[in-house]
Amino acid sequence: MGGSGCSARYSEAQREVHRATLTGVGGVCTSPPMTSAPAPAAPWLSLPTIAAIVVLVALAKLYLSAHAGLSFDESYYTFWSERLTIGYLDHPPAVAWLIAAGRALLGDNELGVRVFAVVCGGLTSALIWRIGVLLLDRQTAALGVLLYTVTPAS
């Protein structure tokens, strides 16, 4: 019973039927062995830990956003946000609309210009998590979110 080479996932009757259908193979079960369960994820890759890291990084970005001057491009986009339209010569309108919303919410300052860029980064992290869980697993999703979150340009 134990020397048939078949995986433990089959009952003895199923192994006998399988052996009977395998002519010329010597009666040895050729089905693939049962795969082991995936290794448990590290505790630091749990959803609450990842969410806390994303929130802390977002808060740091908001702090820095409020205390750093605007770059040339940010000033250019802020100029667009004063004259909203459905499109601009070299870009679609979403950047100008988000800046206008931030300025309306927080005032005409650096934080108002950048707040929705930080919010969009947090939403992107949530989407990376969800896509990672759907396509792969929670551990890979967590690593993807961490890599995105700590990338300076995110």
Side-chain angles (χ1 to χ4, degrees):
M1 300 195 202
S4 70
C6 285
S7 173
R9 68 181 163 172
Y10 297 114
S11 71
E12 186 59 34
Q14 289 172 320
R15 282 185 281 223
E16 289 301 322
V17 169
H18 195 77
R19 266 190 227 104
T21 60
L22 294 173
T23 56
V25 181
V28 176
C29 179
T30 59
S31 56
M34 191 166 100
T35 59
S36 61
W44 58 273
L45 290 176
S46 67
L47 180 58
T49 305
I50 298 299
I53 291 170
V54 170
V55 168
L56 288 174
V57 170
L59 290 174
K61 287 179 180 182
L62 287 173
Y63 177 80
L64 292 172
S65 295
H67 294 91
L70 296 178
S71 70
F72 175 77
D73 284 343
E74 289 171 320
S75 300
Y76 183 54
Y77 301 147
T78 302
F79 176 73
W80 288 355
S81 73
E82 295 170 357
R83 294 157 188 83
L84 294 176
T85 184
I86 59 170
Y88 299 91
L89 178 64
D90 54 351
H91 286 289
V95 172
W97 294 351
L98 289 173
I99 291 173
R103 290 174 59 218
L105 184 68
L106 298 174
D108 193 16
N109 54 42
E110 288 86 356
L111 184 58
V113 170
R114 296 181 177 130
V115 68
F116 282 109
V118 176
V119 169
C120 287
L123 293 175
T124 301
S125 294
L127 289 173
I128 291 170
W129 171 268
R130 185 66 182 142
I131 291 168
V133 168
L134 287 175
L135 295 180
L136 301 165
D137 57 34
R138 295 172 72 89
Q139 185 171 354
T140 307
L143 289 172
V145 170
L146 280 177
L147 287 173
Y148 172 76
T149 301
V150 299
T151 301
S154 66

